[in-house]
Amino acid sequence: MLGTEFKKKFDAEPDSLHKEAIRQDFFLFMKKMDSIENVALIGALLKVKNLEDLSRIQSIRDHSEKESEFYRPTDQSADYPGGIDTLREEVAYLFYKEGVYSDVKTVKANVVFIVEKDGTISNVHAQGDNFTFNRQAEIALYSVSEKFSPAAYKGDPVRCRFNLPLTMQKEE
């Protein structure tokens, strides 16, 4: 809708200098909208991480969650619909590159998360040298649209840790 309104204004303007100003206004507006959306996603990420931290604290108190639960052998590993390449493509699509600030050309992170028994993702944690890249990777992982097929042990779904290395090359 916004694009249509800007296009109407752009098409109605006869002066090429004013057209360029309208085009620049549109790009600036869309960049600000991306920034606002990213701030909202970061807020959602913080809320999710806080809830997960509270849940983990409660689990420790209850002694209901055991580390061995994640390391037991599985008959079937967790799988994303379409496979790991599909997951990588979706993460790349959801990744907000403009939110990454880096002086180096190549930025890397190792994203570790848990695939729950119902196939949802939880406890996403990115580890790498660039804080902004790590946060954007976590947001992208939490935003994937599909559920995993959970890992299984003796036919029963089990929680498991999943590891996804990510690399971004900045174009100059």
Side-chain angles (χ1 to χ4, degrees), residues 130-163:
N130 187 294
F131 177 79
T132 57
F133 182 74
N134 294 346
R135 291 306 150 260
Q136 294 304 326
E138 290 172 355
I139 291 169
L141 250 301
Y142 274 117
S143 301
V144 295
S145 61
E146 301 288 328
K147 288 184 175 185
F148 277 73
S149 298
Y153 179 68
K154 295 184 180 180
D156 294 324
V158 294
R159 298 175 80 202
C160 72
R161 290 187 200 274
F162 204 94
N163 185 29

Side-chain angles (χ1 to χ4, degrees), residues 33 72 97:
M33 288 298 290
R72 74 169 88 162
K97 296 171 201 74

Side-chain angles (χ1 to χ4, degrees), residues 80-93 144 146:
Y80 193 75
I84 190 75
D85 290 335
T86 302
L87 175 63
R88 285 183 178 282
E89 288 172 14
E90 187 165 354
V91 168
Y93 176 75
V144 295
E146 301 288 328

Side-chain angles (χ1 to χ4, degrees), residues 14-43:
D15 183 21
S16 63
L17 285 174
H18 285 115
K19 276 190 170 203
E20 181 60 25
I22 291 168
R23 190 175 76 75
Q24 291 297 326
D25 287 347
F26 175 72
F27 287 127
L28 179 63
F29 181 79
M30 293 309 288
K31 191 169 190 168
K32 286 182 178 180
M33 288 298 290
D34 280 348
S35 179
I36 290 168
E37 180 181 7
N38 192 48
V39 167
L41 288 171
I42 288 172

